[in-house]
């Protein structure tokens, strides 16, 4: 058996001690192929055309030569310009250059439209040595004379094909004409279409071509599916999301109007989603991107233009609600998933008018997506059952089981009619079930992945997160490519918590009658349907109680109102943990804990009320400070005045 070849370390690049220490601190251990291939010719001063997909370490590929040899540290003048297609990519690249060059006192700044011009002028005048910017704003500074190009030694065109497809050819030509003729130029592009090759031949000096992998190679590493639809695509999308249950995804639309329509529809269904297009103000755009990178937003619905330059490492899926008109767009879209060693999944909804473009994709890039039919009623039923199982798991797996109950459960499973008995227990426990199904589905839909984006272009890819069974405490199947039917049983699953705002499920809490007050861990079946003030029939409701004990009706327990709920990422075990760790209040001294969408109610024995209030007040959940106060008294059959 031949041992696997040990990858080389950064020592082979003959880097300075300061840079090696920085790379170690950043967690970079081995140079990627593009970093090894680019470093030597870049240091020699050669012009380069590098074909490499996003996520392969290309930022460090040109960043290391810049901080090591190109920038003269004792010269406080602009020496390098890096052009990027979007402000988001410019900010990412600038942050990476700053980290790589910090030990060598390299000073980069980001220049892009939408930011204050005066602040950028001041930074340039203060001695910035590297500018990372968008073509329009860089050209604007050149026209104003606030950017002096006389000492420019290197120009880097990052995502050059994207810049040309976005219509920046005129700006690029104007910038190139204003830079010193003897400069070095590095051109990085995922694909090398004819216009890129023409630019390289006309504008670069005897360029060396380095071809590692285009985005189409990355796309070949992604699992591709197409769903055939002849009806409402939005309805098809929601059915697909129900069954496939992607952990995180970009959903692409071809028009701005469609992004808003799709995102709003998903929010109404209870999914955490937001839209991104050119009409979104810069401040809101940055907020949406921040939420996406931090894992607070599950679905980002975007146009091609708005999503260009965005690098979100934890995406498991790319979904084409609208199939792209050009095959190159499909390649760029799907290249955003399956990065850093993870498995990625691309899903497209195909209508009859898209068949020609799908056929062209097969011919051009040899990508043959697996054709699937829209989820059937049976598959949706399987998803509902999986959601209910997960809801039961979330409620009971966090609570230690009594040995006697475990022994009885084992005895029950050995009975010839065990399935029939369990079915009866579930019917008694869950009732008629429609509300429980909706609550369980809402918890899954609102699930987000709390996974901060790592540093861009990390040299050493992290291992893929392990998958787990449906009843696991956590479901972190980063990049798992679900298949129809299987996703309901082994997918990312549902976590505790439900959506907020427009997507909240229509599930209301109704007080349990006293004869049920000591039931263990059971959802309550409510009183018969009643009329609301508007005259609408109120459906039967069900509430899942997440703690094993409940407040007795004899006044032993006092109830506390808390101003946070499921939408703040809070669960009953979280509140119990605060009581136990901060106030030493055990589960035996805690009654019912009910977590709603925006508020919660905690019952504790009256002698511990003061300690519980002190513990809960000031506790922080997802950055939100908790406020607690004694719950106001309620009359029979009504909700508390401070109910959320």
């Amino acid at each position: 058996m031949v041992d696997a070849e040990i990858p080389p370390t950064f020592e082979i690049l003959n880097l300075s001690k300061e840079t090696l220490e920085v790379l170690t601190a950043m967690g970079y251990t081995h140079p990627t192929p593009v970093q090894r291939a680019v470093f030597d010719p870049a240091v020699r001063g050669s012009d380069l055309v590098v074909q490499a997909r996003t996520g392969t370490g290309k930022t460090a590929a040109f960043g290391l030569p810049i901080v090591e040899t190109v920038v003269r540290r004792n010269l406080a003048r602009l020496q390098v310009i890096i052009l990027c297609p979007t402000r988001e990519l410019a900010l990412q690249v600038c942050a990476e250059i700053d980290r790589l060059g910090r030990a060598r006192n390299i000073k980069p700044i980001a220049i892009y439209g939408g930011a204050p011009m005066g602040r950028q002028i001041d930074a340039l005048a203060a001695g910035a040595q590297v500018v990372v910017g968008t073509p329009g704003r860089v050209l604007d500074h050149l026209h104003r004379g606030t950017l002096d190009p006389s000492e420019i030694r290197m120009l880097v065109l990052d995502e050059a094909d994207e810049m040309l497809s976005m219509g920046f050819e005129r700006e690029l030509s104007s910038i190139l004409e204003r830079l010193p003729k003897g400069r070095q130029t590095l051109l990085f592009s995922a694909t090398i279409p004819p216009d890129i090759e023409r630019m390289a031949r006309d504008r670069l000096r005897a360029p060396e071509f380095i071809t590692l992998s285009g985005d189409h190679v990355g796309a070949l590493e992604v699992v591709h599916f197409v769903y055939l639809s002849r009806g409402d695509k939005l309805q098809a999308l929601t059915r697909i999301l129900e069954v496939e249950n992607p952990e995180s995804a970009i959903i692409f639309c071809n028009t701005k109007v469609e992004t808003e329509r799709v995102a709003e529809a998903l929010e109404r269904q209870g999914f955490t989603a937001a839209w991104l297009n050119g009409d979104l103000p810069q401040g809101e755009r940055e907020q949406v991107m921040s939420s996406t990178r931090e894992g607070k937003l599950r679905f980002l619905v975007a146009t091609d233009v708005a999503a260009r330059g965005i690098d979100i490492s934890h995406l498991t899926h790319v979904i084409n609600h609208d199939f792209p008109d050009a095959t190159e767009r499909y390649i760029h879209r799907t290249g955003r998933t399956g990065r850093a060693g993870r498995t990625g999944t691309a899903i497209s909804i195909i209508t009859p008018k898209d068949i020609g473009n799908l056929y062209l994709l097969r011919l051009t890039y040899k990508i043959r997506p697996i054709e699937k039919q829209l989820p059937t009623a049976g598959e949706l039923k399987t998803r509902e059952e999986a959601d209910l199982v997960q809801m039961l798991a979330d409620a009971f797996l966090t609570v230690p089981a009594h040995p006697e109950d475990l022994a009885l459960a084992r005895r029950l499973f050995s009975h010839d009619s065990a399935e029939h008995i369990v079915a009866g227990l579930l019917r008694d426990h869950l009732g008629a079930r429609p509300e429980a199904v909706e609550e369980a589905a809402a918890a899954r839909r609102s699930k987000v992945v709390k996974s901060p984006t790592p540093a861009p272009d990390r040299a050493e890819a992290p291992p893929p997160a392990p998958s787990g069974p449906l009843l696991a405490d956590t479901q972190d199947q980063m990049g798992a490519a679900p298949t129809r039917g299987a996703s309901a049983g082994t997918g990312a699953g549902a976590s505790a918590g439900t959506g907020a705002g427009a997507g909240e499920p229509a599930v209301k809490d109704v007080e349990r009658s006293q004869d049920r007050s000591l039931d263990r861990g059971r959802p309550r079946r409510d009183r018969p349907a009643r009329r609301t003030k508007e005259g609408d029939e109120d459906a039967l409701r069900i509430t899942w109680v997440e703690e094993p004990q409940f407040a007795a009706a004899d006044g032993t327990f006092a109830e506390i109102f808390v101003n946070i709920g499921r939408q703040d990422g809070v669960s009953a075990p979280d509140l119990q943990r605060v009581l136990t760790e901060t106030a030493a209040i055990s589960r035996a001294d805690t009654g019912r804990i009910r977590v709603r969408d925006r508020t919660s109610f905690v019952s504790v024995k009256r002698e511990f009320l003061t300690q519980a209030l002190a513990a809960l007040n000031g506790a922080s959940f997802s950055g939100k400070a908790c406020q607690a106060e004694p719950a106001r008294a309620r009359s029979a059959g009504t909700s508390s005045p401070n109910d959320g």
Side-chain angles (χ1 to χ4, degrees), residues 427-432 516 522-527 541:
R427 176 61 54 168
D428 183 60
H429 192 94
L430 297 175
R516 296 268 183 185
R522 302 173 60 167
R524 51 187 177 274
R525 281 179 280 175
D526 301 327
R527 290 183 282 280
R541 304 298 187 185

Side-chain angles (χ1 to χ4, degrees), residues 33 86 207 283 337 362 405 455 551 567 604 622:
T86 65
T337 186
R362 292 174 175 174
D405 295 337
Q567 71 175 13
V604 297
S622 300

Side-chain angles (χ1 to χ4, degrees), residues 433-455:
R433 217 174 281 173
E435 289 76 25
V437 168
E438 178 58 29
E439 184 173 355
R444 169 181 50 78
R445 291 168 187 156
S446 64
K447 171 182 173 288
V448 293
V449 51
K450 296 292 185 180
S451 176
T453 303

Side-chain angles (χ1 to χ4, degrees), residues 104-121:
R104 296 175 65 82
N105 296 318
I106 306 298
K107 299 177 181 178
I109 63 166
I111 287 180
Y112 53 89
M117 177 69 77
R119 196 173 302 168
Q120 295 175 359
I121 293 173

